[in-house]
Amino acid sequence: MKKISVSVALLAVTMAWSMTAFAGQCPSLMKQIDEKLSMASLSEMDAKKVRSLRKDGAYHHRKGEHGKSVRILNKALAKLEM
């Protein structure tokens, strides 16, 4: 019984740590997008798509859905690096 309790506690700590890691990554990605977008030479349609992805990523970050936010923000960065 004690081994199960320790395992559950370890799992909870690991999950909390990984959530914090994702949470800290979101603002950094948003900053990168803002900097690259200001210097990028994109078509209006591509720039609009990047801004939309950045807004969506920020929304999910605020909701605490950091994994989803990171995936969306990385998509925006990929568009900027094409």
Side-chain angles (χ1 to χ4, degrees):
M1 185 69 165
K2 187 175 180 177
K3 285 183 180 184
I4 292 173
S5 297
V6 171
S7 296
V8 170
L10 184 59
L11 178 63
V13 169
T14 302
M15 287 178 62
W17 178 80
S18 65
M19 291 293 284
T20 304
F22 273 129
Q25 200 174 9
C26 301
S28 173
L29 291 171
M30 287 185 269
K31 184 178 177 181
Q32 287 178 48
I33 291 166
D34 294 340
E35 290 170 355
K36 289 183 179 190
L37 188 57
S38 69
M39 294 182 279
S41 57
L42 298 172
S43 69
E44 185 56 38
M45 189 157 124
D46 286 340
K48 187 175 182 177
K49 179 67 176 172
V50 169
R51 285 191 295 271
S52 176
L53 287 167
R54 194 239 186 253
K55 183 178 177 182
D56 196 28
Y59 169 77
H60 288 288
H61 171 70
R62 286 190 304 275
K63 283 183 63 180
E65 298 171 347
H66 302 292
K68 190 170 188 176
S69 175
V70 167
R71 283 191 302 277
I72 292 168
L73 293 170
N74 278 323
K75 230 187 241 188
L77 275 175
K79 279 212 164 282
L80 285 167
E81 294 171 355
M82 292 172 74

